[in-house]
Amino acid sequence: MRYERPQTLEDAAALLAAADAPAFVLAGGTDLLVRMQNDNFEADLIVDIKSIAGMGDIVQSDAGFVIGAAVPCAALSEDAALVAAWPGVVEAANLIGSTQIQGRCTVAGNLCNASPAADSVPALVAADARVRIAGPNGTREAAVIDIPTGPGKTSLAKGEIIEAVLLPKRAAQAGDAYLRFIPRTEMDIAVVGVSVNLTLDAGGTVTSARVALGAVGPTVMLVDAAAEAIIGTSLDDAALDALAAACSAASTPIDDKRGTVAFRTKVAGVLARRAAQTAYTRAGGK
Amino acid sequence: MSFDAAYQSKTFNSVGTRPLRPDGVDKVTGRARYGADFNMPGQLVARVLRSPHAHARIRGIDTSKAEAVKGVKAIVTAADLPDLTNGNADLFAILDNCMARDKAMYDGHAVAAVAAIDEKAAKQALKLIEVDYEVLPHVVDVDAAMQTDAPVLNETVFTTGIEPAPTSPSNVTNRAEFGHGDVDAGFAKADVIVERSYKTEQTHQGYIEPHACVANCNTDGTADLWVCTQGHFVYRQNCADLLGLEVSKLRVTSSEIGGGFGGKTHVWAEPVALALSRKAGRPVKLIMSREEVFRASGPTSATSIDVKIGARKDGRITAASATLRYSSGPYPGMWAELGAMTSFACYDLDNVQTVGFEVLVNRPKVAAYRAPSAPMAAFAVESAVDELAHTLGIDAVDLRVKNAAKEGTKSSYGPVYGPIGIGPTLQAAKSHPHMSAPLGKNQGRGMACGFWFNFGGQTCTDLNINADGTVTLAVGTVDVGGSRASLSLIAAEELGIAYDDVKAVVADTATLGYNDMTDGSRGTFSSSMATISAARNAIKVMCKRAALTWDIPLEDVYWEDGHAHAAGTKHGNRAPLSVKELAAEAGNTGGPIAGHSELVADGAGVSFATHICDIEVDPETGSSRVVRYTVIQDAGKAVHPSYVEGQYQGGAAQGIGWALNEEYVYGADGRLQNPGFLDYRIPVCSDLPMIDTQILEIPNPNHPYGVRGVGETSIVPPLAAIANAVSNAVGVRMSHIPISPPRILAALDGNG
């Protein structure tokens, strides 16, 4: 197995494009290094992107935030402007694994690992985040929701690397929140994850919303019906009930070692209600 | 050896203090050497091929392609481990479990093993071994395995313990019954009867260190094994028996141990490593992966238990019965029998009957797990007692106090108790501030009691007094929980020297006589008895040396406060001689000074505990959180109180994990779905509150210092304490362990 630490995205993309056996991108390595311990793991090439300029930076611009692909999740919580603008995204990223894991793991890696239970992905989807992708044929952009195509599978072509995660500029009176259910307090994987991102008008009425669910289907899903249930309301009980019902209805979970269909379906609604209330408060709603 | 083990009340200098453990610094700095930390020149890497099927006949194994892989030095199958067990069924089960012979009996059962020059070659060879399986119907659930239409795992098994003997084979290997009195008559006298069925899922001991060993067979017939184990003498015997070695020619050295909890009382892969080394002619290192540990090293039983308890209105229990079904994996066990023995051991009952059934299933061979079988039985019985208290409107502690066993009680499993601690732990619980602390919203409180037998066993110890007066203590019980510190305190106490002047080591099998393994909470109990005996023998030698030095009769010398003294006025001017002074002159007075001891440590005092638990439940998600937990347990005498508390806390933590989230999850295909710590959910630090402990000391009459084993009892009450607390918090009786969030939510929604 070959380990490469290229200095440019072009070199990294070329290395991956030229590989004729399984090749992997290494950022934080918190998923990859664990997989490498498995008996059935095989790889010919590991491309470490941490030496590439800009990969470790968070940049704020008029358009929003650009988070380099190698920025550890812990660094997100140390960026005050990012925390103020996207508290739900930051809290989701900092629920992954444990304190030690968060010092290494990245949101881009969380996305590319393509687990339906990835904590940061529902928050990114609710935030309408995009990714910038470098590849053998240049750079392109895509919506976060279009990256995972199924458990462990992404829409990235051979040789393509996520270069950065892009979060839009924040409106006034907007807030987001992410909640997940795990049976323990940390070091666990979401049985259900829910993110709510909303914007209010001066009167406290929800003017726009995005609601995303994790771990209740093969990929993270954006639930339009859930958003519609709260748009135009001030998050009264009826709106919250409708939100919870929409999230439960949209859930298509399976019975597995992590939870049951009945449990996941119900808890998706419970967490949606709670996340919406937190997002609403963060947006300045009362 | 006329060693008097009877308890004698005395004031202690060293025992009861809390010095640092001698192995602590090495462990926290990474210097300590565990199973995988030993290497030999020319060592090969071993990997094991395991069955992907829950139940399959092995029609053939073709290793020819694998043997051709460059770097492969040996491949073994069952053919390389011929059956030398000579009709010993227990030993045959160990052999068959180490390497499947005719059939693979569970997902993960070893079918072949490779030794190669590196990991890559070994893994490549595994892929090229061709096993011709005939997949057979399987059964993994304990109740399903007892049904008449269940696939029969072993056609030669006819249930024993039943009259008349059955004429057809089944998965029930044995029926065992305990009790006394007339339960039917007892139930007839009851005003209230509580009757309920319970289930518990299979859990693993969850030790952090996977099984690991280095085996080396030499051409002269000798062999060495470096291994992580709870009992290197037992491993030596098992390996020697299975490989046809003379016991004296196999030297086994125990490494430091990163947890065992019963799972390292059993050989899983060590005979395979030795067989590989014998075939390859080189040392072989075998390390099980975490996945292999879960799939193929012994978990505890899954159980299904029915309990019936009857009582008068005043709370006096008139009769109690239980039927207990325990899975044992694919080989016969005595796990239900232990469950049946322990179920009602806390109580003084006129009429009691327990029946245990051992059940074969296509899961890994069950091994001991800390007070094996008792936690599940206690879960069922203590849940029923809690329900009885509610039904009668009597306080749960008062009900237990009224029915608690005491000195002179005929126990439910037969023997009559001596002085025991169940009553005192209940009284301590009643007056503990935890019991009366206010509960918050969505919180509930539960309490439960637990019992464990404890064990003594064969023990051999050497105590050598060095030329500088320091002491080397060689023991044969592996230190799993701080026993080197405890035993050093014991030696210091007897000899009257400082703790720091004693260095305890775990000797290998070639340098000390046979010792039973560290199980049954026997490590400190038995080896402290042997250490006291060895120290007293060394003191006899030192008294002789003092007599020689002073040239006075031996009967005029006595030992006190770490010195030889001349008795009476006629030798009045003699200054006492210290251990250091006697040691310095040993070369001139008869040579090295040492004390030896070999004994069977009889009279391990039974142990009782009472636990109190507060839990908070989120009624919308079923999420639970233990907010307060108190362990009250009798230690007899706490030699090193910090490590006694550590045992109490560790047992409680494991029991909490078992109660709330841990379970083996099997798919319909009979394959284990969660062989890793991500989805086999043991508690992490932040899941638990600080676990409060209270040590009671009711001296064991059969130990010079009153010591009882303390390691196991603390895992017995938590399942029931948690279940009772959750039931109290949510108002629904939880009868299926683990009480995971989906199960709580289903119960709350009426779908339990």
Side-chain angles (χ1 to χ4, degrees), chain B residues 543-556:
Chain B
C543 286
K544 272 187 209 161
R545 303 301 175 83
L548 270 173
T549 304
W550 289 327
D551 196 19
I552 65 172
L554 176 60
E555 52 270 30
D556 288 352

Side-chain angles (χ1 to χ4, degrees), chain A:
Chain A
M1 191 180 72
R2 199 153 55 101
Y3 170 84
E4 295 282 356
R5 199 177 169 93
Q7 304 297 306
T8 67
L9 276 168
E10 292 72 23
D11 287 351
L15 280 165
L16 291 168
D20 50 11
F24 293 88
V25 174
L26 173 69
T30 54
D31 285 312
L32 183 61
L33 266 61
V34 176
R35 286 171 67 187
M36 287 170 74
Q37 302 295 317
N38 291 348
D39 280 349
N40 54 4
F41 180 85
E42 281 176 27
D44 272 11
L45 176 66
I46 302 289
V47 178
D48 185 342
I49 59 167
K50 288 194 288 294
S51 289
I52 299 170
M55 289 292 114
D57 299 337
I58 303 173
V59 178
Q60 190 178 6
S61 72
D62 290 345
F65 293 87
V66 178
I67 300 167
V71 174
C73 290
L76 304 185
S77 61
E78 291 169 6
D79 187 311
L82 183 65
V83 172
W86 294 103
V89 172
V90 175
E91 74 189 346
N94 285 283
L95 284 173
I96 300 170
S98 63
T99 301
Q100 291 92 332
I101 297 290
Q102 289 146 23
R104 300 293 292 180
C105 69
T106 65
V107 287
N110 200 216
L111 178 59
C112 292
N113 193 50
S115 163
D119 282 311
S120 69
V121 179
L124 292 172
V125 168
D128 203 9
R130 297 177 69 76
V131 288
R132 187 183 301 149
I133 300 163
N137 305 316
T139 300
R140 68 180 177 101
E141 273 192 23
V144 162
I145 197 168
D146 293 330
I147 299 301
T149 54
K153 295 191 172 69
T154 71
S155 58
L156 295 174
K158 188 176 182 190
E160 286 193 324
I161 304 167
I162 291 187
E163 176 188 340
V165 174
L166 316 174
L167 282 165
K169 187 177 167 59
R170 209 59 166 129
Q173 289 208 291
D176 67 336
Y178 172 76
L179 285 174
R180 58 126 189 236
F181 186 88
I182 56 171
R184 294 183 285 190
T185 46
E186 58 184 327
M187 300 292 287
D188 215 332
I189 280 192
V191 180
V192 181
V194 182
S195 194
V196 177
N197 174 30
L198 48 75
T199 309
L200 308 181
D201 67 14
T205 299
V206 178
T207 55
S208 69
R210 287 170 68 89
V211 179
L213 301 179
V216 289
T219 60
V220 170
M221 57 180 94
L222 185 68
V223 186
D224 292 335
E228 284 155 18
I230 57 172
I231 290 171
T233 76
S234 55
L235 224 57
D236 49 77
D237 285 345
L240 288 169
D241 287 347
L243 168 72
C247 286
S248 293
S251 299
T252 57
I254 53 170
D255 279 324
D256 71 359
K257 59 198 173 187
R258 292 176 186 151
T260 61
V261 169
F263 178 81
R264 286 172 151 142
T265 304
K266 176 169 184 190
V267 172
V270 172
L271 295 188
R273 176 192 294 267
R274 293 178 183 179
Q277 287 171 313
T278 301
Y280 190 77
T281 306
R282 285 174 177 169
K286 293 188 177 72

Side-chain angles (χ1 to χ4, degrees), chain B residues 437-445 614-617 627 728-729:
Chain B
L439 286 167
K441 193 184 173 197
N442 295 326
Q443 292 182 353
R445 177 167 298 146
D614 292 354
I615 203 159
E616 185 171 314
V617 178
V627 291
N728 181 236

